[in-house]
């Protein structure tokens, strides 16, 4: 009996010691193990996210593939995961990018969570499976790779926002705001031309290779993309185009209705309030954003998500909020994706059915009258 208690005590002691700072926890967690149940409740550095992308492909070879679609200023790859079930029919696409702003760490964490959820979901949820048959999801977990790596360097670089390209001749500062660098009313409102500022828009539209990479990719796919979702933090907002106060999207009413539906779905999860609107209406005017560019080239449903919180912790959202923040954002995103999917795959089918039915009825009335 004494010996038995002693063993339990030793085991407990060993677990306590292992839980010390920097050591694996009782489940052997070391921050890198994607099988660990806590993986999606932690922030991950770029090396870990790259390893995780490889693992997603390895574990789901029929559903997940990756594509390098550009290079950063510092010549790193910009990679997306393409997720979908094989189909003989032409598929539509959903675009999601995270981490265009380096310091918004909850965004890459959400992309990882989203991928995990849809990869589990298509096995258990008939709606997710249907969407995985009809749609391919193009998910870029970290768009601003150089900036993200820089934000992980030390405490003084943690709040870096921009790319890492050097400023023009005569300016010693680094970085362009990638969300001011797209060809969408570039340089007109809500930007700075001072390369030391956070909203520096670059020397010209698409001066940044990261913005060019997204533009080229969207150009190749735009006809197939039903929804463009770009994930940021913070403020708890769902922003619809446009950032310029003088122009409005042709389907503004639809965007608002779908956005409000997403905010309602979000609130149902943990009671969090998300505000929906254009950025001039609810935050500030801006130009050159990827979201505006996506809508300008004809992608009908284009949204910017600003995830938790409302300023208490801001960009340094504590890790214990990652899971609830992702759960609620997933509900919002799912609302938009479901709407986009059903509109494309049911209303057109419904139109065909209606047309057929009308033809049949017309023929019947015609024959009843004249024969
Ligand atoms: O200013 C930005 O780039 C975004 N906010 S953040 O705090 N994450 O930097 C908002 C951009 C929204 N713009 C449009 N949707 N047009
Ligand atoms: Zn942002």
């Amino acid at each position: 009996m004494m010996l038995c208690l002693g063993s339990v005590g030793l085991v407990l002691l060993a677990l306590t010691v292992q839980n010390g700072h920097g050591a694996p926890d009782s489940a052997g967690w070391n921050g890198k193990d994607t099988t660990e149940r806590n993986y999606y409740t932690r922030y991950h550095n770029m090396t870990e996210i790259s390893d995780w992308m490889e693992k997603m492909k390895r574990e789901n070879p029929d559903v997940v593939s990756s594509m390098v679609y550009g290079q950063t200023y510092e010549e790193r790859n910009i990679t997306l995961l393409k997720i979908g079930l094989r189909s003989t029919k032409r598929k539509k696409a959903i675009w999601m990018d995270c981490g265009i702003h380096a310091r918004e760490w909850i965004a890459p964490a959400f992309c990882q969570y989203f991928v995990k959820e849809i990869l589990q979901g298509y096995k258990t949820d008939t709606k997710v499976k249907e969407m995985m048959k009809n749609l391919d999801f193009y998910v870029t977990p970290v768009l601003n790779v150089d900036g993200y790596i820089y934000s992980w360097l030390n405490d003084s670089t943690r709040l870096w926002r921009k790319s890492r390209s050097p400023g023009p001749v005569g300016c010693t500062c680094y970085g362009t705001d990638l969300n001011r660098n797209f060809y969408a009313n570039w340089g007109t409102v809500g930007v700075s031309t001072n390369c030391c500022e956070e909203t520096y828009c670059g020397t010209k539209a698409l001066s940044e290779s990261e913005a060019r990479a997204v533009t080229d990719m969207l150009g190749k796919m735009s006809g197939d993309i039903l929804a463009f979702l770009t994930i940021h933090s913070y403020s708890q907002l769902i922003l619809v185009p446009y950032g310029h106060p003088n122009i409005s999207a042709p389907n503004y009413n639809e965007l608002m209705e779908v956005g409000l539906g997403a905010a309602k779905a979000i609130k149902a999860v943990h009671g969090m309030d998300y505000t929906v609107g254009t950025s001039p209406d609810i935050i500030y005017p801006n130009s050159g954003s990827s979201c505006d560019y996506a809508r300008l080239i004809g992608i009908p449903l284009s949204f910017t998500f600003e995830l938790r919180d409302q300023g208490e912790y801001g960009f340094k959202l504590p890790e214990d909020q990652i899971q609830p923040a992702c759960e609620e954002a997933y509900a919002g995103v799912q609302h938009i994706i479901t709407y986009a999917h059903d509109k494309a795959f049911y209303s057109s089918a419904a139109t065909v059915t209606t047309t057929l039915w009308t033809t049949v009825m017309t023929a019947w009335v015609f024959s009843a009258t004249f024969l």
Side-chain angles (χ1 to χ4, degrees):
M1 191 61 175
M2 281 293 286
L3 182 70
C4 197
L5 275 175
S7 307
V8 172
L10 274 179
V11 170
L12 284 176
L13 180 67
L15 290 178
T16 314
V17 169
Q18 276 200 338
N19 271 324
H21 183 72
D25 70 12
S26 55
W29 189 82
N30 59 15
K32 294 184 177 120
D33 184 358
T34 58
T35 59
E36 167 57 36
R37 72 194 143 79
N38 288 329
Y39 184 83
Y40 295 94
T41 66
R42 310 276 170 142
Y43 294 117
H44 296 284
N45 65 32
M46 197 60 227
T47 308
E48 291 165 4
I49 294 177
S50 300
D51 290 348
W52 168 85
M53 283 195 258
E54 288 305 310
K55 189 177 158 97
M56 293 301 104
K57 285 195 289 177
R58 215 172 37 244
E59 289 183 348
N60 308 275
D62 297 338
V63 189
V64 182
S65 58
S66 71
M67 187 187 297
V68 173
Y69 65 99
Q71 242 80 47
T72 65
Y73 175 78
E74 291 172 345
E75 296 181 348
R76 296 187 176 92
N77 288 342
I78 303 172
T79 310
L80 61 74
L81 292 178
K82 179 182 171 189
I83 301 158
L85 290 164
R86 254 192 265 274
S87 169
T88 49
K89 294 191 210 112
R90 193 180 172 90
K91 297 183 78 178
K92 291 290 183 185
I94 303 291
W95 175 278
M96 180 186 293
D97 66 72
C98 296
I100 189 172
H101 286 146
R103 62 194 174 191
E104 298 165 10
W105 284 9
I106 188 63
F110 176 71
C111 264
Q112 292 192 285
Y113 179 90
F114 176 79
V115 168
K116 186 246 312 176
E117 282 299 303
I118 58 172
L119 287 175
Q120 279 170 5
Y122 87 89
K123 294 175 187 150
T124 53
D125 182 321
T126 50
K127 189 68 193 175
V128 177
K129 184 167 189 170
E130 184 194 2
M131 293 202 278
M132 290 274 273
K133 275 186 194 158
N134 291 328
L135 306 172
D136 285 320
F137 296 87
Y138 291 79
V139 180
T140 304
V142 182
L143 177 50
N144 179 5
V145 181
D146 296 349
Y148 189 67
I149 289 171
Y150 191 65
S151 73
W152 273 82
L153 201 58
N154 59 52
D155 284 350
S156 77
T157 62
R158 170 65 185 84
L159 292 179
W160 189 257
R161 166 180 169 97
K162 302 185 282 180
S163 69
R164 288 297 297 157
S165 59
V169 183
C171 183
T172 52
C173 296
Y174 279 73
T176 292
D177 184 348
L178 295 175
N179 213 31
R180 299 290 181 280
N181 194 239
F182 285 77
Y183 190 69
N185 304 296
W186 178 84
T188 55
V189 282
V191 301
S192 173
T193 51
N194 175 350
C195 85
C196 298
E197 296 283 334
E198 294 285 45
T199 57
Y200 175 57
C201 61
T203 49
K204 57 179 183 189
L206 304 182
S207 58
E208 304 305 290
S209 60
E210 295 84 351
R212 286 199 301 274
V214 173
T215 300
D216 292 348
M217 197 63 197
L218 293 179
K220 287 178 199 143
M221 307 168 52
S222 68
D224 292 328
I225 304 181
L226 300 177
F228 174 96
L229 305 170
T230 181
I231 312 298
H232 292 244
S233 73
Y234 59 91
S235 288
Q236 297 175 199
L237 310 172
I238 299 173
L239 299 168
V240 306
Y242 289 106
H244 198 293
N246 298 350
I247 55 169
S248 116
N251 63 335
Y252 170 83
N253 290 341
E254 179 189 34
L255 287 162
M256 285 300 291
E257 202 179 304
V258 177
L260 287 165
K264 194 175 170 197
I266 289 173
K267 191 168 172 86
V269 179
H270 294 296
M272 293 311 240
D273 285 309
Y274 271 59
T275 308
V276 186
T278 67
S279 49
D281 283 351
I282 57 178
I283 40 170
Y284 42 71
N286 62 81
S287 53
S289 71
S290 64
C291 180
D292 284 7
Y293 179 71
R295 185 64 199 85
L296 277 174
I297 61 168
I299 298 171
L301 299 164
S302 180
F303 294 92
T304 301
F305 273 68
E306 299 281 357
L307 306 186
R308 287 194 192 190
D309 55 11
Q310 286 179 314
E312 187 180 359
Y313 297 101
F315 303 117
K316 295 183 174 178
L317 190 72
E319 287 188 322
D320 65 7
Q321 289 200 47
I322 295 176
Q323 191 175 328
C326 289
E327 286 167 351
E328 68 202 16
Y330 184 80
V333 162
Q334 207 179 22
H335 176 85
I336 295 173
I337 293 170
T338 306
Y339 172 86
H341 171 271
D342 290 356
K343 187 182 169 193
F345 289 91
Y346 292 134
S347 17
S348 58
T351 309
V352 171
T353 313
T354 311
T355 312
L356 274 174
W357 185 239
T358 311
T359 312
V360 169
M361 285 301 282
T362 312
W364 181 72
V365 171
F366 185 85
S367 57
T369 314
F370 295 101
L371 293 182

